[in-house]
Amino acid sequence: HADTPEDMAHVMERVPGLLAQLVQAGVKPASITRRITDITDAITRRLLRLAEARLGPPPVPYLWAACGSQGRREQTGVSDQDNCLFLADAATDADREGYFADLARFVTDGLNTCGYVYCPGDMMATNPRWCQPVGVWKSYFEGWIRTPDPEAQMLSSVMFDLRPIGGHVPLFGDLQKTTLQAASENSIFVAHMISNSLKHTPPLNLLRGLATIRSGEHKHSLDMKLNGVVPVVDLARIHALRGRITAVNTRARLVEARESGQLSRSGAGDLLDAYDLIAQTRLQHQADLVKQGQPPDNYLQPSALSDFERSHLRDAFVVVKSMQSSVGHGLGMLG
């Protein structure tokens, strides 16, 4: 019922408290992140309705899609925004540069007001590159798959996590299915994607002990996003690519990979358990900060954990590292 982004921001102020309550109640990490993402989805849809009320009806059908953690339904207490616009092919340059540029600005500004900061990589619908007709989007994916340079790998990693949020959902059509098929059939592209996915590694030293950040503002801490959940997110995306799995949620991808034989039952079970523990530790850290009156972040000091907790977290990272080695085996010069 909110009439302004500021009204929604007041609702968002209660989200960290909700996160802390859910963690305290022992709710599973996947359920917590899905509930938090549901709030983001609702805010985004409300902003789209407010934008249309201000700008008038759209000149052609459009689809607002989210990628990143919102696309995967894996948001926590710390999230920037990653979004894009798919337009009907009848859209003109005037439509893109006028109505849809204004709509994108209103929604992304509103999300920023609500605490979803602008994407530092400009992966937002306000970037003209990510506000295009469906035909242009299809050509993007075809080009990335055909020529898997470093930028193509990075963009593919983001765009394989797309999920429709608001607008005319049929515009998304069979894009995901056809893209997965084309990508999985291109062995060079798959090899490059695997190589790219192995760049984020669990925080382990040579003796497989926990390796903390060595310098800077977060010295002596573990980045529970970049070196914690992201390596598993990347692994799940690779298995989805290989198996043409349409799920975008990391846990759902791993379960489907197990059911389809992409992953062995034991390997999938170990990786799912490891992912759940890493995600739980990350959320518990954020909940602890909220209870202390501090903003949640992803930087965990191992000293805050008991010996038992540290040992299990290390074991979880070892599982992820082993699965990365397994996926990377045989890449040769690309590895």
Side-chain angles (χ1 to χ4, degrees):
H1 298 104
D3 291 321
T4 66
E6 287 73 23
D7 290 340
M8 286 180 246
H10 290 310
V11 176
M12 275 299 298
E13 289 171 0
R14 292 152 54 189
V15 168
L18 171 66
L19 181 144
Q21 288 174 12
L22 293 172
V23 171
Q24 186 73 29
V27 177
K28 292 181 179 179
S31 296
I32 295 175
T33 57
R34 189 168 59 248
R35 291 184 195 186
I36 291 174
T37 306
D38 285 345
I39 296 170
T40 310
D41 290 356
I43 286 174
T44 306
R45 292 182 188 119
R46 183 62 183 157
L47 287 168
L48 287 168
R49 285 195 288 273
L50 291 176
E52 288 189 27
R54 171 181 291 201
L55 301 171
V60 297
Y62 72 88
L63 168 70
W64 185 280
C67 36
S69 58
Q70 184 184 1
R72 296 189 306 274
R73 286 195 167 114
E74 292 167 8
Q75 289 191 306
T76 67
V78 193
S79 292
D80 61 2
Q81 50 177 298
D82 299 282
N83 45 61
C84 55
L85 273 169
F86 285 64
L87 311 179
D89 283 326
T92 64
D93 287 345
D95 294 333
R96 286 196 313 109
E97 296 163 9
Y99 183 95
F100 291 110
D102 292 341
L103 179 137
R105 175 56 62 195
F106 180 87
V107 176
T108 55
D109 283 351
L111 288 169
N112 185 68
T113 297
C114 290
Y116 304 100
V117 297
Y118 299 118
C119 175
D122 203 18
M123 185 64 67
M124 297 186 297
T126 45
N127 183 338
R129 190 178 182 187
W130 311 130
C131 176
Q132 293 288 346
V134 171
V136 174
W137 277 104
K138 289 181 178 177
S139 69
Y140 282 168
F141 278 98
E142 289 166 2
W144 295 333
I145 293 166
R146 187 172 57 249
T147 313
D149 59 26
E151 187 193 40
Q153 296 168 47
M154 183 274 291
L155 293 173
S156 298
S157 295
V158 173
M159 294 302 178
F160 277 127
D161 295 350
L162 278 175
R163 182 170 60 88
I165 303 297
H168 191 62
V169 174
L171 286 175
F172 200 57
D174 62 354
L175 177 71
Q176 186 185 39
K177 183 178 178 181
T178 55
T179 300
L180 280 173
Q181 180 172 340
S184 64
E185 290 172 351
N186 187 324
S187 58
I188 294 175
F189 176 79
V190 173
H192 276 287
M193 286 290 287
I194 291 173
S195 179
N196 189 57
S197 76
L198 301 180
K199 290 178 180 175
H200 297 115
T201 57
L204 296 169
N205 57 31
L206 289 175
L207 299 177
R208 293 199 163 184
L210 293 176
T212 58
I213 297 170
R214 294 181 180 179
S215 60
E217 180 185 357
H218 305 294
K219 188 177 180 180
H220 302 316
S221 66
L222 303 170
D223 186 335
M224 294 299 293
K225 178 183 178 181
L226 203 60
N227 303 112
V229 296
V230 166
V232 187
V233 169
D234 289 344
L235 280 172
R237 189 184 298 113
I238 291 300
H239 287 296
L241 176 59
R242 283 175 153 178
R244 302 181 190 177
I245 293 167
T246 55
V248 293
N249 175 266
T250 296
R251 213 176 187 289
R253 281 171 164 169
L254 293 175
V255 169
E256 283 199 41
R258 178 186 65 194
E259 299 309 313
S260 66
Q262 276 286 315
L263 275 171
S264 69
R265 298 198 76 81
S266 61
D270 287 347
L271 189 55
L272 283 163
D273 287 347
Y275 178 59
D276 287 344
L277 179 66
I278 293 165
Q280 176 65 40
T281 305
R282 179 192 185 198
L283 288 170
Q284 183 66 61
H285 165 67
Q286 293 188 3
D288 289 344
L289 288 175
V290 170
K291 284 185 277 188
Q292 295 165 22
Q294 300 179 46
D297 65 28
N298 291 305
Y299 300 98
L300 169 69
Q301 298 267 355
S303 57
L305 302 174
S306 68
D307 290 346
F308 181 82
E309 290 169 329
R310 275 199 302 275
S311 175
H312 280 272
L313 183 61
R314 184 195 69 83
D315 289 346
F317 287 142
V318 169
V319 167
V320 177
K321 183 70 174 174
S322 298
M323 294 299 285
Q324 283 187 324
S325 298
S326 176
V327 168
H329 183 68
L331 272 182
M333 293 303 292
L334 283 173

